[in-house]
Amino acid sequence: AKAPKGRKVELSSLTGQDNEPARLTSGISELDRVLGGGLVAGSATLLGGDPGIGKSTLLLQAAASMARKDLRTVYISGEEALAQLRMRAARLKLTQAPVELAAETNIADIRKTLENDGDVGLVIIDSIQTMWSPAIEAAPGTVSQVRVSGQELIHFAKANDVAVILVGHVTKDGQIAGPRVLE
């Protein structure tokens, strides 16, 4: 099989007149500060931390805040059932926020859904270790699956000008579980 031909990419100089990219703020001041003032459309952000530290809770709060500002926000959970997410939202009094949910781990199905629905501003993937691509034969959480799933989501973010947050669990020795490659 022949390798596919590429396309010519436009090159530019360092002297461009680009403005600072617009930031999507979460309304959570410390999160926005850590993100350099907020998320940037077309970016992928890896949020790592120990299991149970509150990554999902923090991101659900940020998702609700951003969705209330008319930013179409999709939260994909590979870890928890929709009922668990809804219980957390109820506990946090966020049930009225227009966050769209899915419990899915197949990266091809996730991408197809996001691309077909269009006009998405923020996608949260919780967590990257649970995602798998049918394009390769390996178990979810393996380095190859995390690499391929991460690449698919980063490509989606850039091609569609969508901010993507990938949750990554941290192991006892402080490494992102499975995928040092994702860091």
Side-chain angles (χ1 to χ4, degrees), residues 21-169:
R23 300 283 177 155
L24 308 170
T25 57
S26 69
I28 301 171
S29 60
E30 189 63 13
L31 178 61
D32 291 337
R33 186 190 68 77
V34 168
L35 293 170
L39 292 165
V40 176
S43 69
T45 303
L46 177 62
L47 177 68
D50 295 325
I53 201 167
K55 299 179 298 296
S56 300
T57 299
L58 176 67
L59 289 176
L60 188 58
Q61 290 171 312
S65 175
M66 295 172 101
R68 285 183 180 130
K69 296 178 191 173
D70 294 327
L71 182 71
R72 184 154 177 234
T73 303
V74 177
Y75 192 114
I76 310 278
S77 177
E79 303 263 335
E80 297 177 305
L82 294 182
Q84 289 173 289
L85 290 172
R86 289 182 180 126
M87 286 188 307
R88 180 178 295 122
R91 188 180 80 238
L92 298 168
K93 298 180 177 38
L94 302 174
T95 55
Q96 299 307 310
V99 176
E100 297 174 61
L101 305 174
E104 183 55 64
T105 58
N106 181 321
I107 206 71
D109 292 348
I110 292 167
R111 232 186 123 164
K112 183 77 159 179
T113 300
L114 295 171
E115 287 171 346
N116 283 351
D117 286 356
D119 201 30
V120 177
L122 171 63
V123 175
I124 297 170
I125 302 291
D126 190 359
S127 76
I128 191 63
Q129 282 91 356
T130 61
M131 298 296 134
W132 66 279
S133 170
I136 62 170
E137 290 186 32
T142 59
V143 170
S144 55
Q145 278 291 4
V146 170
R147 180 185 295 128
V148 168
S149 296
Q151 287 171 340
E152 284 283 322
L153 290 162
I154 292 166
H155 182 266
F156 168 79
K158 296 198 176 308
N160 296 282
D161 214 23
V162 174
V164 173
I165 298 176
L166 307 174
V167 175
H169 295 297

